[in-house]
Every structure is written in C-alpha cells, then in structure tokens.
Amino acid sequence: MIDYGPPRPVLLRTQEPTQGIIQLGKVCRERSGKRWVYANNISAAYRAGQEYGVAPCVIKLMQAWGVRWIHYYDAENEKTYVSRLDALLANGAAKRYSYRPGYWYMPIRMWGKQAGQRRYEWVPANQVLTLPWVELVPMEEQTRLF
C-alpha cells in the first residue's frame, strides 16, 4: 500500500503508459470546507463520449484519503457532473478505449448534474502529487481491484 501522507489540497498527475505525464485534476475541499472532492474539467474528448471515467490511481488515492465525491466541470455546457466514489464503482466498469489504458467509467446518465461551476479552495501550482499508474486487471477480476 502506498503512503500518500495526510489528505491535503494537491494537483494530481501520473505517468500514463500511452500518453506520458498527464494532469489528472485535483483533490481539494469545497469552498465551504465541509468535504474533500476530486475535481477535474471535462475535455472535448470526454464530452464526445457517453461516459466519464476516473483513473485507477486516482481511485486508490481517494480510497486512502476517504475522499467520497467526484466533480467534473463541463465549461462548454456550464454544468458540474457529480458522483460519489461508491456509486462510480458500483455502477461503472473498467474499460479501455483504442490506445488509452484502462479507466473506471460510468455512463453520463448516472452522474448527477448541477448548473454552473462549483467553487473549491485554491491549490498552489507547486503542490503536486505524482501518482504511480495502476494497471487494471483482466475484466473478470476488475471488481477485486477496488
């Protein structure tokens, strides 16, 4: 098990096998300070699909830190898509698309929607946590990963 240290506001990145170093969003508190969330922006590629995914290394961190909420902001549609981690794991599945490694995906229709962008505490650019990539296991074993 990886020791990530205590929960804290951080920008996340990883060395994805096919893309090199990529940004994965951030872990921070909502502006109210009440709960920790994993927050990220929706890219055009995500918007074109019918599901949103979370990297397995982010899921591992969320579990270790007790982060229960995922927020994806879609600037083009001015909506924030929200889910609990347990709902993502219960209703989603591990999938690989073309050249991309495996992520845990859940259909868009299962994500909650809120108008506008949620507000979060600011995370300094030097507060970066580089996560080791977690490779998904064969589909029949995927539920044992988390």
Side-chain angles (χ1 to χ4, degrees):
M1 179 170 217
I2 299 170
D3 180 13
Y4 301 103
R8 61 196 179 277
V10 292
L11 303 173
L12 302 175
R13 67 180 179 193
T14 191
Q15 175 84 34
E16 189 183 84
T18 59
Q19 297 291 306
I21 293 178
I22 62 167
Q23 301 299 317
L24 293 169
K26 62 185 174 183
V27 170
C28 57
R29 284 196 173 112
E30 288 183 301
R31 179 75 47 97
S32 66
K34 292 182 181 177
R35 62 182 176 192
W36 288 94
V37 298
Y38 164 61
N40 203 350
N41 294 324
I42 294 175
S43 66
Y46 255 27
R47 196 174 298 107
Q50 295 299 309
E51 53 197 357
Y52 296 145
V54 178
C57 56
V58 172
I59 294 172
K60 291 284 193 185
L61 174 69
M62 291 177 69
Q63 290 172 325
W65 279 1
V67 176
R68 296 180 46 221
W69 291 94
I70 304 162
H71 293 186
Y72 276 175
Y73 178 61
D74 184 343
E76 185 174 300
N77 295 314
E78 297 182 354
K79 290 182 185 170
T80 299
Y81 291 83
V82 298
S83 178
R84 287 184 335 276
L85 177 59
D86 60 339
L88 174 78
L89 296 176
N91 300 313
K95 297 181 182 180
R96 289 181 174 88
Y97 288 105
S98 69
Y99 63 89
R100 298 297 301 269
Y103 279 64
W104 201 272
Y105 289 94
M106 184 169 74
I108 293 171
R109 63 182 161 70
M110 301 182 94
W111 289 76
K113 296 173 204 69
Q114 299 174 347
Q117 182 177 13
R118 302 296 300 262
R119 299 290 178 213
Y120 310 102
E121 67 183 344
W122 183 71
V123 180
N126 66 347
Q127 297 302 306
V128 175
L129 179 59
T130 302
L131 302 173
W133 183 256
V134 174
E135 192 59 46
L136 290 172
V137 295
M139 294 303 279
E140 63 273 6
E141 299 175 26
Q142 70 186 7
T143 55
R144 288 186 268 166
L145 183 61
F146 306 109

